[in-house]
Amino acid sequence: MAPRQRWIWGLALLLGAGGILTGGGLLAAERLLAPVEAGRPATVPRLAACDGSPAVGAAAQARPGTFFKLQANVDAGGVLASQHLSVGAGGQTSAATDLPAESSASGPVAGVVVVTADDGRSSALQLVWVAATCRTTIYTTDAVIRRAILDPADGSVLFHVVSRLDRADLGVWRLASGQALATRVVEPLPAAFGAGPVWGTDLRLDPAATLLAVQSCLDRGCLTRVVDLGNPALPAIVVRGQRQGPLLGFAGDRLVTWAACDGFPCAVLAWDLASATATDLVASASAAAMTGDGRLLVAIGGDGSSDGAVVVDLATGGSRTLHGLTSGDRPIAAAGLTAMGLEVQPDQVVVSPRAGDPHAIQPTAAGEVLR
């Protein structure tokens, strides 16, 4: 297989059919397609229609332990027919529903999961209120909504849209909480930046929810535009380079990404926003994720063994071996593209075995010095 073909194949596995997978390397594909775990009830209640709206924004209460999982439903011909969404808390599934094939989910944030669902004619944005086991549709459009994330600062939803006719980029839009009309906050990717079709677009907020990263991945790499949501008139910062792979998150004034590899293991890089130059954080990793506060990176070594897990202080570059990680657990990058999500504290990382439930770890105790 040619290198260019291997990159497309690897990115397709990361993004999945319908563009829903990323993070944690190729394990995400296995996790999405895994059968329901033993011990789960054969049926769970279906998500109902919400009577009201879930609390979102700065005043909303955090709900660590809330989770969602997406599983693929493949037809006899091997084509993705639909997706099964389950939600719950504390490791117990409380409700589920089936979604169209072209769907995605992100979060949870304050116990709320954002879902995009496209039935081939229109796309809908839905909020799933996990505690109430219900969902509500907050927006519909004739275009195709590809990705959506919830802004924890004000409860708005940021979402990426493409044309239904030709999949042309239509930019990133914001739907304010309680509003019916959305406004565009990021213009479509300029043609001058591209070198072919965009295979996947990811959205990520910095810990303060003031900067939005919009990453577009092409056939051989990615580029990221960083927008100041508080100052929309400022031009976007463009971070691009032949080595840039899928996004992991913000670390202060840097972006952390995978390298543009043909498979795993792969390097993890930090990109300086001012100079758009990259430095290696981890030379070889099979899985990686960051704490929500952008302070620490947890990575599993290239051999895939939990014995090779490290914690990297993203401010200083210092690192240490991470002890006590359960055998088989892998860090899962929380993003707008993942097939599972778990709400955790800002200083925690989501980890999960290949076929099992996600859980949180605190990579280092407060005040511990990394050498």
Side-chain angles (χ1 to χ4, degrees):
M1 188 179 294
R4 184 171 183 268
Q5 291 174 312
R6 285 199 301 269
W7 164 260
I8 296 173
W9 174 82
L11 184 60
L13 283 179
L14 282 168
L15 299 175
I20 56 173
L21 292 178
T22 192
L26 302 184
L27 298 179
E30 296 177 16
R31 182 173 302 108
L32 179 67
L33 298 173
V36 177
E37 294 86 344
R40 291 290 189 198
T43 60
V44 296
R46 310 300 289 178
L47 283 171
C50 294
D51 291 332
S53 298
V56 291
Q61 180 182 359
R63 295 184 179 273
T66 304
F67 69 87
F68 80 83
K69 295 177 71 174
L70 279 171
Q71 289 181 297
N73 296 318
V74 181
D75 64 20
V79 176
L80 182 65
S82 64
Q83 297 191 66
H84 185 74
L85 173 71
S86 55
V87 300
Q92 297 297 314
T93 300
S94 58
T97 193
D98 289 317
L99 299 171
E102 191 161 6
S103 300
S104 69
S106 70
V109 176
V112 176
V113 177
V114 179
V115 170
T116 74
D118 187 272
D119 62 6
R121 299 178 301 276
S122 65
S123 276
L125 280 178
Q126 301 175 348
L127 298 183
V128 176
W129 189 357
V130 177
T133 63
C134 68
R135 62 176 169 172
T136 182
T137 297
I138 59 172
Y139 183 79
T140 59
T141 176
D142 291 338
V144 180
I145 302 175
R146 299 291 292 126
R147 204 77 59 226
I149 58 174
L150 184 64
D151 186 338
D154 61 10
S156 64
V157 176
L158 296 157
F159 57 100
H160 177 241
V161 182
V162 298
S163 165
R164 186 169 300 279
L165 178 64
D166 57 6
R167 297 297 169 124
D169 188 358
L170 298 180
V172 178
W173 298 68
R174 182 203 288 274
L175 182 69
S177 178
Q179 299 299 305
L181 298 178
T183 57
R184 187 155 63 186
V185 293
V186 182
E187 294 298 313
L189 182 69
F193 288 169
V198 173
W199 295 91
T201 301
D202 195 6
L203 307 176
R204 195 72 55 89
L205 288 165
D206 73 337
T210 58
L211 298 179
L212 172 67
V214 182
Q215 187 186 59
S216 304
C217 288
L218 310 174
D219 60 350
R220 285 295 301 164
C222 306
L223 67 88
T224 303
R225 291 172 292 161
V226 178
V227 177
D228 187 336
L229 293 175
N231 297 281
L234 293 176
I237 298 171
V238 180
V239 181
R240 65 186 307 182
Q242 292 183 345
R243 298 184 66 201
Q244 186 181 148
L247 187 62
L248 286 170
F250 281 91
D253 58 357
R254 298 187 298 171
L255 281 177
V256 179
T257 76
W258 287 101
C261 296
D262 292 329
F264 289 87
C266 190
V268 179
L269 311 176
W271 297 80
D272 183 80
L273 293 181
S275 64
T277 56
T279 57
D280 284 19
L281 293 173
V282 179
S284 178
S286 58
M290 296 169 59
T291 52
D293 57 15
R295 177 172 172 253
L296 301 175
L297 172 80
V298 173
I300 299 290
D303 63 358
S305 168
S306 58
D307 294 336
V310 296
V311 182
V312 179
D313 186 321
L314 294 169
T316 67
S319 64
R320 69 169 178 87
T321 300
L322 176 63
H323 297 288
L325 194 65
T326 302
S327 178
D329 270 351
R330 298 290 182 271
I332 305 300
L337 297 173
T338 51
M340 67 165 52
L342 175 73
E343 186 167 350
V344 299
Q345 300 290 355
D347 60 352
Q348 293 179 327
V349 165
V350 180
V351 298
S352 177
R354 291 177 184 268
D357 290 326
H359 56 279
I361 63 166
Q362 187 174 11
T364 183
E368 183 174 357
V369 177
L370 303 182
R371 294 180 175 83

